[in-house]
Amino acid sequence: MSTSTTYLPDLSYLATLSVFTARFLIYQGKVNNVPGLAGFYHHTEMPLSDGAVWDSVLTLYRMQNARIAQYQPSRSAVVSPYIDSRSDFGGHVTVDQARNAIANIAETAGDVHLSIAVQDGMGTGKGGSFFGSESGNNVDQYAASIVGSGSWGSKYLAPTRDYFWAMAEGIEGTGADLWANLEGMAPATSQNPCDSGSTRGQSTKARLDEQLQQFGNSPVKVISFMWDPYFTCAGTGLPMIDRLKSGSATPIITDSIFNGNGDVLVTGQNLSGGTVQVKWVDDSGTAFDKTVTATNYNPTYGEELGINPLLESVTAKLGSTSLKSGKNYFIDVKNGYGQKNDALYSDRG
């Protein structure tokens, strides 16, 4: 690493590191050449910034990917940049910068299949999982411990969702895949400690669901990498792994399409067999709140579209209606298990 800036690579050692990388890959080919070795992880991190200061990291990725293509041509690579959308942080990244940055990272792949697993920032307080309808709401206690008290819209430049939409545009046509890396923890407070030496603590089931919903349908895969202690620690209650198991049937709403004929397509997980509640405002300004049977359940929605294969869909048939432009609408799902989504979902007409 650079002696002047510790989080940047020192490229004066690049030739030496290239030789070391080649030897490492040759060794892996000899002693670890098993089907389970899908590829290699780039451990040097960078934010989703298109600033020139990060060019050295891109140079490092480019060299490492070239060596993978040379010595392990059947293997892929994963890199995990992070969102930092804190308004008051000088190094924050705008949505447009993120769109450019992911294209720059994808360009380093060369002949290697590259998956870009973006850390959402919610677990470290660097990113905000909120919908536009919540922008005026106060941040939760965990985010407040990092950015201070205030609204989501004032403390963060944009919701995580906007970043993933932009990154899906930026990565299109590059050959790389967009993944989401869900930060499986929360900033530590007195309410959620996992151990006294960590600045991160246990999250909540609803908070993790909010993160999943913010990804929308853009990433083809969702992972939560190497944050195991925050899933297994007791914190001030049950370990998160137990909470996830007990809530495994909870509906997750990732996206929706409000069609002109009054049909609302709802996508996500655990959606089948129940009802969909939609609250909306029509063109005349009349507010509606209607609950209908979930129809047209499609368990292979994501697979059919070539997106996340775990995504499914249902349709809420509201009847002849309209959706007023610029107005928020809200969706809740109660599935066949009697479970209801525990994270708010809204969109804008």
Side-chain angles (χ1 to χ4, degrees):
M1 307 304 287
S2 171
T3 55
S4 58
T5 310
T6 56
Y7 52 82
L8 293 176
D10 183 348
L11 296 184
S12 68
Y13 292 92
L14 189 65
T16 301
L17 182 59
S18 179
V19 173
F20 173 82
T21 302
R23 290 178 178 177
F24 171 81
L25 293 168
I26 292 169
Y27 174 81
Q28 292 297 318
K30 290 181 177 178
V31 304
N32 198 24
N33 189 26
V34 295
L37 178 61
F40 301 92
Y41 173 73
H42 294 295
H43 74 276
T44 302
E45 288 187 3
M46 64 174 284
L48 280 162
S49 173
D50 59 356
V53 68
W54 299 102
D55 286 352
S56 61
V57 182
L58 298 177
T59 298
L60 177 63
Y61 293 163
R62 193 173 293 109
M63 179 276 289
Q64 291 174 321
N65 285 326
R67 296 291 80 77
I68 294 170
Q70 182 178 2
Y71 294 103
Q72 295 280 355
S74 64
R75 262 76 185 204
S76 60
V78 176
V79 63
S80 193
Y82 58 89
I83 293 172
D84 196 327
S85 59
R86 292 173 289 175
S87 300
D88 292 338
F89 178 60
H92 64 223
V93 173
T94 68
V95 170
D96 287 338
Q97 286 177 307
R99 181 186 293 107
N100 296 334
I102 201 164
N104 292 341
I105 294 171
E107 186 272 333
T108 70
D111 294 326
V112 170
H113 181 262
L114 183 64
S115 297
I116 305 176
V118 178
Q119 301 173 59
D120 68 334
M122 186 69 163
T124 57
K126 295 176 181 176
S129 292
F130 63 98
F131 287 97
S133 63
E134 301 174 288
S135 61
N137 296 353
N138 288 334
V139 300
D140 64 24
Q141 60 179 324
Y142 307 118
S145 70
I146 302 297
V147 298
S149 299
S151 67
W152 288 105
S154 67
K155 293 298 181 179
Y156 296 95
L157 298 179
T160 299
R161 192 173 187 84
D162 291 2
Y163 283 88
F164 272 89
W165 276 336
M167 290 185 291
E169 294 173 352
I171 205 171
E172 187 174 1
T174 65
D177 284 337
L178 173 61
W179 290 5
N181 193 345
L182 184 150
E183 293 185 354
M185 66 287 197
T189 71
S190 61
Q191 303 301 309
N192 67 329
C194 276
D195 67 72
S196 59
S198 177
T199 58
R200 315 295 176 219
Q202 187 186 59
S203 189
T204 66
K205 172 65 165 59
R207 207 171 196 263
L208 295 180
D209 285 359
E210 290 169 1
Q211 291 170 254
L212 284 170
Q213 292 191 164
Q214 284 290 305
F215 298 151
N217 293 351
S218 299
V220 297
K221 188 179 183 70
V222 177
I223 64 172
S224 188
F225 179 68
M226 290 296 287
W227 292 300
D228 297 21
Y230 305 108
F231 286 98
T232 58
C233 77
T236 55
L238 286 174
M240 183 53 60
I241 185 66
D242 295 330
R243 300 184 191 192
L244 291 172
K245 288 178 180 177
S246 64
S248 61
T250 304
I252 304 290
I253 305 170
T254 58
D255 208 352
S256 64
I257 301 173
F258 202 118
N259 293 305
N261 63 355
D263 287 359
V264 182
L265 180 73
V266 182
T267 63
Q269 297 173 351
N270 296 328
L271 303 179
S272 68
T275 59
V276 180
Q277 180 184 17
V278 185
K279 300 177 183 179
W280 78 101
V281 176
D282 72 4
D283 283 337
S284 68
T286 304
F288 291 88
D289 182 344
K290 193 170 185 178
T291 300
V292 298
T293 300
T295 62
N296 300 336
Y297 172 61
N298 182 359
T300 60
Y301 174 83
E303 184 177 1
E304 291 172 7
L305 292 183
I307 55 179
N308 186 336
L310 297 180
L311 291 173
E312 35 187 74
S313 69
V314 292
T315 299
K317 293 184 174 295
L318 303 179
S320 180
T321 188
S322 58
L323 176 64
K324 190 172 182 63
S325 176
K327 288 291 185 179
N328 292 309
Y329 65 92
F330 300 83
I331 297 176
D332 289 306
V333 172
K334 181 180 285 187
N335 63 21
Y337 297 101
Q339 299 293 308
K340 180 178 174 295
N341 52 292
D342 55 13
L344 176 142
Y345 174 86
S346 68
D347 207 338
R348 196 170 180 86

